[in-house]
Amino acid sequence: MSDFFSKHSVRRQSSSSRKAPLPPLQARKAVAGAKKTAYPLSRIALLIRFLKPVTWIPVIWSFLCGAVASGAFGWSDLLGWKFFLAILLTGPLASGTCQMLNDYFDRDLDEINEPWRPIPGGAISLKSATVLIAIWSVLSVLAGYLIHPLIGLYVIIGIINAHLYSANPVKLKKRLWAGNIIVAVSYLVIPWIAGEIAYSEQLSPDTLMPSLIVAGLFTLASTGTMTINDFKSVEGDRRNNIRTLPVVFGEHSAAVIASGLINAGQLLAAGYLYLLGQPLHALTVALLIIPQFVLQFSLVRSPNTMDVRYNAIAQNFLVAGMLVCAFAIRQYRL
């Protein structure tokens, strides 16, 4: 493990260099990458960057929604060992493993889209990345098994999904809808049902059905948000024949499609809550769509500049709707 993190530095080009100037995109990426790797990071900082903590939040939230929906999760459980282990699992362990896998298999793409990431930037070698992924995978499965044997199995499925999404020859992210769907399922359905399994006193297809339906409908909405994430890497995806919606349909049309999916999933979830006899919860979910709808006008007008801002603001309303649905299912069961 002595080469766990390799040293890296930014080389200055001699003023007498006769190399041809880079095209605008490559020049911009090179400058951006240089800025982000100019100061060597500690091992811990590099590991955290490799694990991408910002991506843990949706998975942790989905698990919490499943736990609430179970009807057996209370305030006292927030301090229990099971919840602590679940946060560790859904955050740095399982989500971190999937992010490392994605970076490992997408290193060629990242050289174009995000050259400052640890692997293409040279901060972490392929050998070290392989060792880290193996260790994190084992720890993730073990943590899931300690919570509940079925959750250990779910973790294995999630890791398999991460391989299917990023690794050749399957590489579902190349196959239009398939990539976004499998990510949405891994971020939403799997952790939501894991939350149910962790706390439900009785498990059966009938008791899990409301959560399966709601999580499935929010997966439809999340497929739209995954499409918005694709706007930042259109150039690299196009060069490498990655058939995302923005590449296939163009950024404007992809933004319209994504917005339609986001709204449809939440509206259907609100309608399902109404059918469960929870009209106030259904109305709340419907009202939470309104600010997202307003923001979508700016997104459609300029998807390549508004994508980050849209997700930063609009997703707060979407995840709030998820929790409202969880409370509705909880109330339905009581």
Side-chain angles (χ1 to χ4, degrees):
M1 296 288 287
S2 60
D3 65 332
F4 191 82
F5 298 105
S6 59
K7 295 181 180 180
H8 57 286
S9 60
V10 180
R11 297 180 178 178
R12 297 180 179 177
Q13 290 186 344
S14 171
S15 57
S16 62
S17 174
R18 297 182 179 180
K19 291 183 179 180
L22 291 169
L25 173 70
Q26 293 182 20
R28 186 168 69 251
K29 296 293 184 182
V31 171
K35 287 181 179 178
K36 289 183 181 264
T37 59
Y39 302 99
L41 299 175
S42 68
R43 293 184 177 185
I44 297 298
L46 279 171
L47 178 60
I48 291 173
R49 177 181 287 186
F50 199 26
L51 296 173
K52 295 183 196 170
V54 70
T55 65
W56 306 348
I57 300 172
V59 188
I60 294 172
W61 188 260
S62 295
F63 180 90
L64 177 63
C65 288
V68 169
S70 72
F73 182 84
W75 288 107
S76 61
D77 292 300
L78 291 173
L79 301 177
W81 70 268
K82 187 184 292 186
F83 187 70
F84 172 78
L85 193 58
I87 297 302
L88 187 65
L89 170 64
T90 54
L93 289 180
S95 296
T97 299
C98 294
Q99 292 304 320
M100 289 191 290
L101 280 166
N102 184 64
D103 275 16
Y104 182 88
F105 289 116
D106 278 1
R107 56 190 183 274
D108 294 337
L109 282 173
D110 290 339
E111 286 180 359
I112 300 172
N113 295 321
E114 296 172 278
W116 53 83
R117 285 190 176 183
I119 293 179
I124 298 179
S125 68
L126 292 181
K127 178 181 177 181
S128 296
T130 303
V131 172
L132 279 170
I133 290 168
I135 293 172
W136 249 248
S137 297
V138 172
L139 291 175
S140 298
V141 175
L142 179 61
Y145 182 84
L146 290 175
I147 299 172
H148 192 287
L150 278 177
I151 296 179
L153 177 61
Y154 264 41
V155 173
I156 294 173
I157 293 173
I159 293 173
I160 292 172
N161 285 348
H163 280 84
L164 293 175
Y165 177 75
S166 298
N168 288 316
V170 179
K171 206 172 184 74
L172 290 178
K173 71 180 299 179
K174 285 184 175 182
R175 305 175 190 276
L176 202 57
W177 296 99
N180 287 344
I181 291 172
I182 200 169
V183 171
V185 167
S186 298
Y187 270 56
L188 244 160
V189 177
I190 290 178
W192 186 305
I193 301 305
E196 282 262 16
I197 292 171
Y199 291 97
S200 291
E201 297 175 357
Q202 295 181 343
L203 288 175
S204 70
D206 289 338
T207 58
L208 290 176
M209 190 56 64
S211 281
L212 279 170
I213 291 174
V214 168
L217 292 173
F218 270 93
T219 294
L220 178 65
S222 292
T223 301
T225 63
M226 295 297 152
T227 298
I228 295 172
N229 288 333
D230 290 334
F231 290 128
K232 71 179 185 299
S233 55
V234 171
E235 184 63 29
D237 291 342
R238 186 176 288 119
R239 290 187 187 186
N240 289 274
N241 196 31
I242 305 295
R243 301 183 70 249
T244 62
L245 262 68
V247 169
V248 174
F249 296 106
E251 294 177 28
H252 174 78
S253 297
V256 173
I257 295 170
S259 300
L261 291 172
I262 291 168
N263 298 338
Q266 294 174 89
L267 283 171
L268 289 170
Y272 179 68
L273 296 187
Y274 184 81
L275 293 177
L276 290 182
Q278 305 297 319
L280 290 179
H281 292 90
L283 178 61
T284 303
V285 173
L287 290 175
L288 286 169
I289 301 172
I290 295 175
Q292 299 174 66
F293 182 72
V294 172
L295 287 166
Q296 285 163 5
F297 285 98
S298 298
L299 175 69
V300 170
R301 280 198 299 269
S302 183
N304 59 340
T305 59
M306 291 297 297
D307 53 344
V308 175
R309 181 172 181 268
Y310 175 85
N311 273 343
I313 300 174
Q315 288 222 61
N316 296 308
F317 299 100
L318 186 146
V319 298
M322 289 171 57
L323 188 58
V324 171
C325 289
F327 277 112
I329 295 171
R330 179 190 183 95
Q331 184 65 33
Y332 169 73
R333 288 176 168 166
L334 296 179

mmCIF file with all atom_site columns, all heavy atoms in Angstrom, residues 144-168:
data_model
loop_
_atom_site.group_PDB
_atom_site.id
_atom_site.type_symbol
_atom_site.label_atom_id
_atom_site.label_alt_id
_atom_site.label_comp_id
_atom_site.label_asym_id
_atom_site.label_entity_id
_atom_site.label_seq_id
_atom_site.pdbx_PDB_ins_code
_atom_site.Cartn_x
_atom_site.Cartn_y
_atom_site.Cartn_z
_atom_site.occupancy
_atom_site.B_iso_or_equiv
_atom_site.pdbx_formal_charge
_atom_site.auth_seq_id
_atom_site.auth_comp_id
_atom_site.auth_asym_id
_atom_site.auth_atom_id
_atom_site.pdbx_PDB_model_num
ATOM 1   N N   . GLY A 1 144 ? -24.232 -4.424  5.972   1.00 0.00 ? 144 GLY A N   1
ATOM 2   C CA  . GLY A 1 144 ? -25.616 -4.721  5.601   1.00 0.00 ? 144 GLY A CA  1
ATOM 3   C C   . GLY A 1 144 ? -26.110 -5.985  6.258   1.00 0.00 ? 144 GLY A C   1
ATOM 4   O O   . GLY A 1 144 ? -27.248 -6.042  6.760   1.00 0.00 ? 144 GLY A O   1
ATOM 5   N N   . TYR A 1 145 ? -25.272 -7.014  6.309   1.00 0.00 ? 145 TYR A N   1
ATOM 6   C CA  . TYR A 1 145 ? -25.660 -8.282  6.923   1.00 0.00 ? 145 TYR A CA  1
ATOM 7   C C   . TYR A 1 145 ? -25.917 -8.118  8.420   1.00 0.00 ? 145 TYR A C   1
ATOM 8   O O   . TYR A 1 145 ? -26.835 -8.736  8.971   1.00 0.00 ? 145 TYR A O   1
ATOM 9   C CB  . TYR A 1 145 ? -24.580 -9.329  6.681   1.00 0.00 ? 145 TYR A CB  1
ATOM 10  C CG  . TYR A 1 145 ? -24.919 -10.691 7.248   1.00 0.00 ? 145 TYR A CG  1
ATOM 11  C CD1 . TYR A 1 145 ? -25.710 -11.584 6.529   1.00 0.00 ? 145 TYR A CD1 1
ATOM 12  C CD2 . TYR A 1 145 ? -24.460 -11.079 8.509   1.00 0.00 ? 145 TYR A CD2 1
ATOM 13  C CE1 . TYR A 1 145 ? -26.037 -12.826 7.043   1.00 0.00 ? 145 TYR A CE1 1
ATOM 14  C CE2 . TYR A 1 145 ? -24.784 -12.320 9.027   1.00 0.00 ? 145 TYR A CE2 1
ATOM 15  C CZ  . TYR A 1 145 ? -25.575 -13.187 8.293   1.00 0.00 ? 145 TYR A CZ  1
ATOM 16  O OH  . TYR A 1 145 ? -25.905 -14.412 8.811   1.00 0.00 ? 145 TYR A OH  1
ATOM 17  N N   . LEU A 1 146 ? -25.131 -7.279  9.079   1.00 0.00 ? 146 LEU A N   1
ATOM 18  C CA  . LEU A 1 146 ? -25.311 -7.061  10.514  1.00 0.00 ? 146 LEU A CA  1
ATOM 19  C C   . LEU A 1 146 ? -26.642 -6.383  10.817  1.00 0.00 ? 146 LEU A C   1
ATOM 20  O O   . LEU A 1 146 ? -27.245 -6.621  11.869  1.00 0.00 ? 146 LEU A O   1
ATOM 21  C CB  . LEU A 1 146 ? -24.153 -6.224  11.072  1.00 0.00 ? 146 LEU A CB  1
ATOM 22  C CG  . LEU A 1 146 ? -22.793 -6.934  11.135  1.00 0.00 ? 146 LEU A CG  1
ATOM 23  C CD1 . LEU A 1 146 ? -21.712 -5.961  11.580  1.00 0.00 ? 146 LEU A CD1 1
ATOM 24  C CD2 . LEU A 1 146 ? -22.855 -8.138  12.063  1.00 0.00 ? 146 LEU A CD2 1
ATOM 25  N N   . ILE A 1 147 ? -27.106 -5.537  9.910   1.00 0.00 ? 147 ILE A N   1
ATOM 26  C CA  . ILE A 1 147 ? -28.413 -4.904  10.097  1.00 0.00 ? 147 ILE A CA  1
ATOM 27  C C   . ILE A 1 147 ? -29.526 -5.920  9.873   1.00 0.00 ? 147 ILE A C   1
ATOM 28  O O   . ILE A 1 147 ? -30.449 -6.052  10.668  1.00 0.00 ? 147 ILE A O   1
ATOM 29  C CB  . ILE A 1 147 ? -28.579 -3.704  9.143   1.00 0.00 ? 147 ILE A CB  1
ATOM 30  C CG1 . ILE A 1 147 ? -27.499 -2.647  9.422   1.00 0.00 ? 147 ILE A CG1 1
ATOM 31  C CG2 . ILE A 1 147 ? -29.970 -3.083  9.286   1.00 0.00 ? 147 ILE A CG2 1
ATOM 32  C CD1 . ILE A 1 147 ? -27.474 -1.527  8.405   1.00 0.00 ? 147 ILE A CD1 1
ATOM 33  N N   . HIS A 1 148 ? -29.423 -6.640  8.742   1.00 0.00 ? 148 HIS A N   1
ATOM 34  C CA  . HIS A 1 148 ? -30.384 -7.702  8.409   1.00 0.00 ? 148 HIS A CA  1
ATOM 35  C C   . HIS A 1 148 ? -29.800 -8.488  7.242   1.00 0.00 ? 148 HIS A C   1
ATOM 36  O O   . HIS A 1 148 ? -29.270 -7.885  6.291   1.00 0.00 ? 148 HIS A O   1
ATOM 37  C CB  . HIS A 1 148 ? -31.743 -7.097  8.017   1.00 0.00 ? 148 HIS A CB  1
ATOM 38  C CG  . HIS A 1 148 ? -32.853 -8.086  7.948   1.00 0.00 ? 148 HIS A CG  1
ATOM 39  N ND1 . HIS A 1 148 ? -32.954 -9.014  6.930   1.00 0.00 ? 148 HIS A ND1 1
ATOM 40  C CD2 . HIS A 1 148 ? -33.919 -8.305  8.769   1.00 0.00 ? 148 HIS A CD2 1
ATOM 41  C CE1 . HIS A 1 148 ? -34.045 -9.749  7.121   1.00 0.00 ? 148 HIS A CE1 1
ATOM 42  N NE2 . HIS A 1 148 ? -34.645 -9.340  8.236   1.00 0.00 ? 148 HIS A NE2 1
ATOM 43  N N   . PRO A 1 149 ? -29.854 -9.814  7.280   1.00 0.00 ? 149 PRO A N   1
ATOM 44  C CA  . PRO A 1 149 ? -29.286 -10.605 6.183   1.00 0.00 ? 149 PRO A CA  1
ATOM 45  C C   . PRO A 1 149 ? -29.782 -10.193 4.806   1.00 0.00 ? 149 PRO A C   1
ATOM 46  O O   . PRO A 1 149 ? -29.007 -10.194 3.831   1.00 0.00 ? 149 PRO A O   1
ATOM 47  C CB  . PRO A 1 149 ? -29.706 -12.035 6.528   1.00 0.00 ? 149 PRO A CB  1
ATOM 48  C CG  . PRO A 1 149 ? -29.817 -12.038 8.014   1.00 0.00 ? 149 PRO A CG  1
ATOM 49  C CD  . PRO A 1 149 ? -30.339 -10.675 8.381   1.00 0.00 ? 149 PRO A CD  1
ATOM 50  N N   . LEU A 1 150 ? -31.065 -9.834  4.692   1.00 0.00 ? 150 LEU A N   1
ATOM 51  C CA  . LEU A 1 150 ? -31.595 -9.403  3.397   1.00 0.00 ? 150 LEU A CA  1
ATOM 52  C C   . LEU A 1 150 ? -30.931 -8.124  2.909   1.00 0.00 ? 150 LEU A C   1
ATOM 53  O O   . LEU A 1 150 ? -30.743 -7.923  1.703   1.00 0.00 ? 150 LEU A O   1
ATOM 54  C CB  . LEU A 1 150 ? -33.108 -9.198  3.483   1.00 0.00 ? 150 LEU A CB  1
ATOM 55  C CG  . LEU A 1 150 ? -33.992 -10.444 3.348   1.00 0.00 ? 150 LEU A CG  1
ATOM 56  C CD1 . LEU A 1 150 ? -35.455 -10.064 3.522   1.00 0.00 ? 150 LEU A CD1 1
ATOM 57  C CD2 . LEU A 1 150 ? -33.772 -11.123 1.998   1.00 0.00 ? 150 LEU A CD2 1
ATOM 58  N N   . ILE A 1 151 ? -30.571 -7.249  3.844   1.00 0.00 ? 151 ILE A N   1
ATOM 59  C CA  . ILE A 1 151 ? -29.915 -6.003  3.453   1.00 0.00 ? 151 ILE A CA  1
ATOM 60  C C   . ILE A 1 151 ? -28.507 -6.296  2.942   1.00 0.00 ? 151 ILE A C   1
ATOM 61  O O   . ILE A 1 151 ? -28.018 -5.636  2.013   1.00 0.00 ? 151 ILE A O   1
ATOM 62  C CB  . ILE A 1 151 ? -29.902 -5.011  4.632   1.00 0.00 ? 151 ILE A CB  1
ATOM 63  C CG1 . ILE A 1 151 ? -31.333 -4.623  4.986   1.00 0.00 ? 151 ILE A CG1 1
ATOM 64  C CG2 . ILE A 1 151 ? -29.083 -3.762  4.286   1.00 0.00 ? 151 ILE A CG2 1
ATOM 65  C CD1 . ILE A 1 151 ? -31.450 -3.668  6.152   1.00 0.00 ? 151 ILE A CD1 1
ATOM 66  N N   . GLY A 1 152 ? -27.847 -7.300  3.514   1.00 0.00 ? 152 GLY A N   1
ATOM 67  C CA  . GLY A 1 152 ? -26.562 -7.723  2.963   1.00 0.00 ? 152 GLY A CA  1
ATOM 68  C C   . GLY A 1 152 ? -26.690 -8.144  1.511   1.00 0.00 ? 152 GLY A C   1
ATOM 69  O O   . GLY A 1 152 ? -25.848 -7.805  0.670   1.00 0.00 ? 152 GLY A O   1
ATOM 70  N N   . LEU A 1 153 ? -27.779 -8.853  1.193   1.00 0.00 ? 153 LEU A N   1
ATOM 71  C CA  . LEU A 1 153 ? -28.048 -9.248  -0.188  1.00 0.00 ? 153 LEU A CA  1
ATOM 72  C C   . LEU A 1 153 ? -28.323 -8.025  -1.051  1.00 0.00 ? 153 LEU A C   1
ATOM 73  O O   . LEU A 1 153 ? -27.859 -7.945  -2.197  1.00 0.00 ? 153 LEU A O   1
ATOM 74  C CB  . LEU A 1 153 ? -29.242 -10.206 -0.236  1.00 0.00 ? 153 LEU A CB  1
ATOM 75  C CG  . LEU A 1 153 ? -29.713 -10.655 -1.624  1.00 0.00 ? 153 LEU A CG  1
ATOM 76  C CD1 . LEU A 1 153 ? -28.601 -11.408 -2.356  1.00 0.00 ? 153 LEU A CD1 1
ATOM 77  C CD2 . LEU A 1 153 ? -30.963 -11.533 -1.501  1.00 0.00 ? 153 LEU A CD2 1
ATOM 78  N N   . TYR A 1 154 ? -29.062 -7.056  -0.509  1.00 0.00 ? 154 TYR A N   1
ATOM 79  C CA  . TYR A 1 154 ? -29.349 -5.821  -1.241  1.00 0.00 ? 154 TYR A CA  1
ATOM 80  C C   . TYR A 1 154 ? -28.068 -5.074  -1.599  1.00 0.00 ? 154 TYR A C   1
ATOM 81  O O   . TYR A 1 154 ? -27.957 -4.494  -2.681  1.00 0.00 ? 154 TYR A O   1
ATOM 82  C CB  . TYR A 1 154 ? -30.257 -4.920  -0.397  1.00 0.00 ? 154 TYR A CB  1
ATOM 83  C CG  . TYR A 1 154 ? -31.724 -5.051  -0.717  1.00 0.00 ? 154 TYR A CG  1
ATOM 84  C CD1 . TYR A 1 154 ? -32.289 -6.293  -0.955  1.00 0.00 ? 154 TYR A CD1 1
ATOM 85  C CD2 . TYR A 1 154 ? -32.547 -3.930  -0.784  1.00 0.00 ? 154 TYR A CD2 1
ATOM 86  C CE1 . TYR A 1 154 ? -33.624 -6.418  -1.241  1.00 0.00 ? 154 TYR A CE1 1
ATOM 87  C CE2 . TYR A 1 154 ? -33.893 -4.045  -1.071  1.00 0.00 ? 154 TYR A CE2 1
ATOM 88  C CZ  . TYR A 1 154 ? -34.429 -5.291  -1.301  1.00 0.00 ? 154 TYR A CZ  1
ATOM 89  O OH  . TYR A 1 154 ? -35.748 -5.411  -1.596  1.00 0.00 ? 154 TYR A OH  1
ATOM 90  N N   . VAL A 1 155 ? -27.117 -5.073  -0.666  1.00 0.00 ? 155 VAL A N   1
ATOM 91  C CA  . VAL A 1 155 ? -25.849 -4.393  -0.919  1.00 0.00 ? 155 VAL A CA  1
ATOM 92  C C   . VAL A 1 155 ? -25.124 -5.047  -2.093  1.00 0.00 ? 155 VAL A C   1
ATOM 93  O O   . VAL A 1 155 ? -24.576 -4.358  -2.963  1.00 0.00 ? 155 VAL A O   1
ATOM 94  C CB  . VAL A 1 155 ? -24.962 -4.407  0.338   1.00 0.00 ? 155 VAL A CB  1
ATOM 95  C CG1 . VAL A 1 155 ? -23.579 -3.856  0.020   1.00 0.00 ? 155 VAL A CG1 1
ATOM 96  C CG2 . VAL A 1 155 ? -25.605 -3.586  1.454   1.00 0.00 ? 155 VAL A CG2 1
ATOM 97  N N   . ILE A 1 156 ? -25.137 -6.360  -2.130  1.00 0.00 ? 156 ILE A N   1
ATOM 98  C CA  . ILE A 1 156 ? -24.506 -7.078  -3.247  1.00 0.00 ? 156 ILE A CA  1
ATOM 99  C C   . ILE A 1 156 ? -25.169 -6.692  -4.565  1.00 0.00 ? 156 ILE A C   1
ATOM 100 O O   . ILE A 1 156 ? -24.492 -6.444  -5.567  1.00 0.00 ? 156 ILE A O   1
ATOM 101 C CB  . ILE A 1 156 ? -24.585 -8.600  -3.020  1.00 0.00 ? 156 ILE A CB  1
ATOM 102 C CG1 . ILE A 1 156 ? -23.742 -9.000  -1.810  1.00 0.00 ? 156 ILE A CG1 1
ATOM 103 C CG2 . ILE A 1 156 ? -24.116 -9.358  -4.262  1.00 0.00 ? 156 ILE A CG2 1
ATOM 104 C CD1 . ILE A 1 156 ? -23.887 -10.457 -1.411  1.00 0.00 ? 156 ILE A CD1 1
ATOM 105 N N   . ILE A 1 157 ? -26.502 -6.607  -4.560  1.00 0.00 ? 157 ILE A N   1
ATOM 106 C CA  . ILE A 1 157 ? -27.229 -6.204  -5.771  1.00 0.00 ? 157 ILE A CA  1
ATOM 107 C C   . ILE A 1 157 ? -26.821 -4.791  -6.185  1.00 0.00 ? 157 ILE A C   1
ATOM 108 O O   . ILE A 1 157 ? -26.618 -4.505  -7.370  1.00 0.00 ? 157 ILE A O   1
ATOM 109 C CB  . ILE A 1 157 ? -28.747 -6.288  -5.539  1.00 0.00 ? 157 ILE A CB  1
ATOM 110 C CG1 . ILE A 1 157 ? -29.169 -7.750  -5.349  1.00 0.00 ? 157 ILE A CG1 1
ATOM 111 C CG2 . ILE A 1 157 ? -29.512 -5.661  -6.708  1.00 0.00 ? 157 ILE A CG2 1
ATOM 112 C CD1 . ILE A 1 157 ? -30.617 -7.920  -4.938  1.00 0.00 ? 157 ILE A CD1 1
ATOM 113 N N   . GLY A 1 158 ? -26.695 -3.891  -5.207  1.00 0.00 ? 158 GLY A N   1
ATOM 114 C CA  . GLY A 1 158 ? -26.297 -2.520  -5.513  1.00 0.00 ? 158 GLY A CA  1
ATOM 115 C C   . GLY A 1 158 ? -24.913 -2.450  -6.125  1.00 0.00 ? 158 GLY A C   1
ATOM 116 O O   . GLY A 1 158 ? -24.682 -1.676  -7.072  1.00 0.00 ? 158 GLY A O   1
ATOM 117 N N   . ILE A 1 159 ? -23.981 -3.243  -5.615  1.00 0.00 ? 159 ILE A N   1
ATOM 118 C CA  . ILE A 1 159 ? -22.623 -3.249  -6.169  1.00 0.00 ? 159 ILE A CA  1
ATOM 119 C C   . ILE A 1 159 ? -22.626 -3.829  -7.581  1.00 0.00 ? 159 ILE A C   1
ATOM 120 O O   . ILE A 1 159 ? -21.916 -3.336  -8.473  1.00 0.00 ? 159 ILE A O   1
ATOM 121 C CB  . ILE A 1 159 ? -21.679 -4.040  -5.236  1.00 0.00 ? 159 ILE A CB  1
ATOM 122 C CG1 . ILE A 1 159 ? -21.514 -3.301  -3.905  1.00 0.00 ? 159 ILE A CG1 1
ATOM 123 C CG2 . ILE A 1 159 ? -20.316 -4.239  -5.899  1.00 0.00 ? 159 ILE A CG2 1
ATOM 124 C CD1 . ILE A 1 159 ? -20.736 -4.080  -2.859  1.00 0.00 ? 159 ILE A CD1 1
ATOM 125 N N   . ILE A 1 160 ? -23.434 -4.869  -7.803  1.00 0.00 ? 160 ILE A N   1
ATOM 126 C CA  . ILE A 1 160 ? -23.571 -5.422  -9.153  1.00 0.00 ? 160 ILE A CA  1
ATOM 127 C C   . ILE A 1 160 ? -24.136 -4.366  -10.102 1.00 0.00 ? 160 ILE A C   1
ATOM 128 O O   . ILE A 1 160 ? -23.671 -4.200  -11.241 1.00 0.00 ? 160 ILE A O   1
ATOM 129 C CB  . ILE A 1 160 ? -24.462 -6.679  -9.141  1.00 0.00 ? 160 ILE A CB  1
ATOM 130 C CG1 . ILE A 1 160 ? -23.758 -7.823  -8.410  1.00 0.00 ? 160 ILE A CG1 1
ATOM 131 C CG2 . ILE A 1 160 ? -24.827 -7.108  -10.567 1.00 0.00 ? 160 ILE A CG2 1
ATOM 132 C CD1 . ILE A 1 160 ? -24.631 -9.049  -8.187  1.00 0.00 ? 160 ILE A CD1 1
ATOM 133 N N   . ASN A 1 161 ? -25.137 -3.618  -9.630  1.00 0.00 ? 161 ASN A N   1
ATOM 134 C CA  . ASN A 1 161 ? -25.711 -2.545  -10.445 1.00 0.00 ? 161 ASN A CA  1
ATOM 135 C C   . ASN A 1 161 ? -24.662 -1.506  -10.824 1.00 0.00 ? 161 ASN A C   1
ATOM 136 O O   . ASN A 1 161 ? -24.652 -0.989  -11.952 1.00 0.00 ? 161 ASN A O   1
ATOM 137 C CB  . ASN A 1 161 ? -26.853 -1.858  -9.687  1.00 0.00 ? 161 ASN A CB  1
ATOM 138 C CG  . ASN A 1 161 ? -28.117 -2.691  -9.649  1.00 0.00 ? 161 ASN A CG  1
ATOM 139 O OD1 . ASN A 1 161 ? -28.237 -3.694  -10.364 1.00 0.00 ? 161 ASN A OD1 1
ATOM 140 N ND2 . ASN A 1 161 ? -29.065 -2.312  -8.829  1.00 0.00 ? 161 ASN A ND2 1
ATOM 141 N N   . ALA A 1 162 ? -23.769 -1.195  -9.883  1.00 0.00 ? 162 ALA A N   1
ATOM 142 C CA  . ALA A 1 162 ? -22.719 -0.213  -10.165 1.00 0.00 ? 162 ALA A CA  1
ATOM 143 C C   . ALA A 1 162 ? -21.788 -0.722  -11.260 1.00 0.00 ? 162 ALA A C   1
ATOM 144 O O   . ALA A 1 162 ? -21.343 0.054   -12.122 1.00 0.00 ? 162 ALA A O   1
ATOM 145 C CB  . ALA A 1 162 ? -21.935 0.082   -8.888  1.00 0.00 ? 162 ALA A CB  1
ATOM 146 N N   . HIS A 1 163 ? -21.480 -2.018  -11.238 1.00 0.00 ? 163 HIS A N   1
ATOM 147 C CA  . HIS A 1 163 ? -20.670 -2.599  -12.321 1.00 0.00 ? 163 HIS A CA  1
ATOM 148 C C   . HIS A 1 163 ? -21.413 -2.545  -13.654 1.00 0.00 ? 163 HIS A C   1
ATOM 149 O O   . HIS A 1 163 ? -20.831 -2.191  -14.685 1.00 0.00 ? 163 HIS A O   1
ATOM 150 C CB  . HIS A 1 163 ? -20.315 -4.059  -11.991 1.00 0.00 ? 163 HIS A CB  1
ATOM 151 C CG  . HIS A 1 163 ? -19.171 -4.210  -11.043 1.00 0.00 ? 163 HIS A CG  1
ATOM 152 N ND1 . HIS A 1 163 ? -19.326 -4.146  -9.669  1.00 0.00 ? 163 HIS A ND1 1
ATOM 153 C CD2 . HIS A 1 163 ? -17.837 -4.426  -11.258 1.00 0.00 ? 163 HIS A CD2 1
ATOM 154 C CE1 . HIS A 1 163 ? -18.155 -4.319  -9.089  1.00 0.00 ? 163 HIS A CE1 1
ATOM 155 N NE2 . HIS A 1 163 ? -17.237 -4.497  -10.025 1.00 0.00 ? 163 HIS A NE2 1
ATOM 156 N N   . LEU A 1 164 ? -22.692 -2.907  -13.632 1.00 0.00 ? 164 LEU A N   1
ATOM 157 C CA  . LEU A 1 164 ? -23.476 -2.896  -14.867 1.00 0.00 ? 164 LEU A CA  1
ATOM 158 C C   . LEU A 1 164 ? -23.566 -1.490  -15.454 1.00 0.00 ? 164 LEU A C   1
ATOM 159 O O   . LEU A 1 164 ? -23.566 -1.307  -16.672 1.00 0.00 ? 164 LEU A O   1
ATOM 160 C CB  . LEU A 1 164 ? -24.884 -3.439  -14.603 1.00 0.00 ? 164 LEU A CB  1
ATOM 161 C CG  . LEU A 1 164 ? -24.985 -4.926  -14.238 1.00 0.00 ? 164 LEU A CG  1
ATOM 162 C CD1 . LEU A 1 164 ? -26.425 -5.277  -13.877 1.00 0.00 ? 164 LEU A CD1 1
ATOM 163 C CD2 . LEU A 1 164 ? -24.499 -5.800  -15.386 1.00 0.00 ? 164 LEU A CD2 1
ATOM 164 N N   . TYR A 1 165 ? -23.618 -0.508  -14.582 1.00 0.00 ? 165 TYR A N   1
ATOM 165 C CA  . TYR A 1 165 ? -23.742 0.877   -15.041 1.00 0.00 ? 165 TYR A CA  1
ATOM 166 C C   . TYR A 1 165 ? -22.464 1.379   -15.711 1.00 0.00 ? 165 TYR A C   1
ATOM 167 O O   . TYR A 1 165 ? -22.515 2.033   -16.757 1.00 0.00 ? 165 TYR A O   1
ATOM 168 C CB  . TYR A 1 165 ? -24.079 1.778   -13.853 1.00 0.00 ? 165 TYR A CB  1
ATOM 169 C CG  . TYR A 1 165 ? -24.152 3.239   -14.192 1.00 0.00 ? 165 TYR A CG  1
ATOM 170 C CD1 . TYR A 1 165 ? -25.242 3.764   -14.894 1.00 0.00 ? 165 TYR A CD1 1
ATOM 171 C CD2 . TYR A 1 165 ? -23.133 4.113   -13.814 1.00 0.00 ? 165 TYR A CD2 1
ATOM 172 C CE1 . TYR A 1 165 ? -25.310 5.112   -15.205 1.00 0.00 ? 165 TYR A CE1 1
ATOM 173 C CE2 . TYR A 1 165 ? -23.189 5.465   -14.128 1.00 0.00 ? 165 TYR A CE2 1
ATOM 174 C CZ  . TYR A 1 165 ? -24.270 5.952   -14.821 1.00 0.00 ? 165 TYR A CZ  1
ATOM 175 O OH  . TYR A 1 165 ? -24.328 7.283   -15.130 1.00 0.00 ? 165 TYR A OH  1
ATOM 176 N N   . SER A 1 166 ? -21.309 1.039   -15.119 1.00 0.00 ? 166 SER A N   1
ATOM 177 C CA  . SER A 1 166 ? -20.064 1.671   -15.552 1.00 0.00 ? 166 SER A CA  1
ATOM 178 C C   . SER A 1 166 ? -19.124 0.780   -16.344 1.00 0.00 ? 166 SER A C   1
ATOM 179 O O   . SER A 1 166 ? -18.324 1.278   -17.133 1.00 0.00 ? 166 SER A O   1
ATOM 180 C CB  . SER A 1 166 ? -19.301 2.206   -14.324 1.00 0.00 ? 166 SER A CB  1
ATOM 181 O OG  . SER A 1 166 ? -20.048 3.194   -13.658 1.00 0.00 ? 166 SER A OG  1
ATOM 182 N N   . ALA A 1 167 ? -19.168 -0.534  -16.115 1.00 0.00 ? 167 ALA A N   1
ATOM 183 C CA  . ALA A 1 167 ? -18.131 -1.405  -16.664 1.00 0.00 ? 167 ALA A CA  1
ATOM 184 C C   . ALA A 1 167 ? -18.487 -1.947  -18.044 1.00 0.00 ? 167 ALA A C   1
ATOM 185 O O   . ALA A 1 167 ? -19.641 -2.278  -18.315 1.00 0.00 ? 167 ALA A O   1
ATOM 186 C CB  . ALA A 1 167 ? -17.881 -2.577  -15.705 1.00 0.00 ? 167 ALA A CB  1
ATOM 187 N N   . ASN A 1 168 ? -17.496 -2.017  -18.903 1.00 0.00 ? 168 ASN A N   1
ATOM 188 C CA  . ASN A 1 168 ? -17.655 -2.696  -20.190 1.00 0.00 ? 168 ASN A CA  1
ATOM 189 C C   . ASN A 1 168 ? -17.692 -4.201  -19.958 1.00 0.00 ? 168 ASN A C   1
ATOM 190 O O   . ASN A 1 168 ? -17.135 -4.700  -18.982 1.00 0.00 ? 168 ASN A O   1
ATOM 191 C CB  . ASN A 1 168 ? -16.492 -2.333  -21.122 1.00 0.00 ? 168 ASN A CB  1
ATOM 192 C CG  . ASN A 1 168 ? -16.590 -0.907  -21.621 1.00 0.00 ? 168 ASN A CG  1
ATOM 193 O OD1 . ASN A 1 168 ? -17.659 -0.452  -22.002 1.00 0.00 ? 168 ASN A OD1 1
ATOM 194 N ND2 . ASN A 1 168 ? -15.472 -0.195  -21.608 1.00 0.00 ? 168 ASN A ND2 1
#
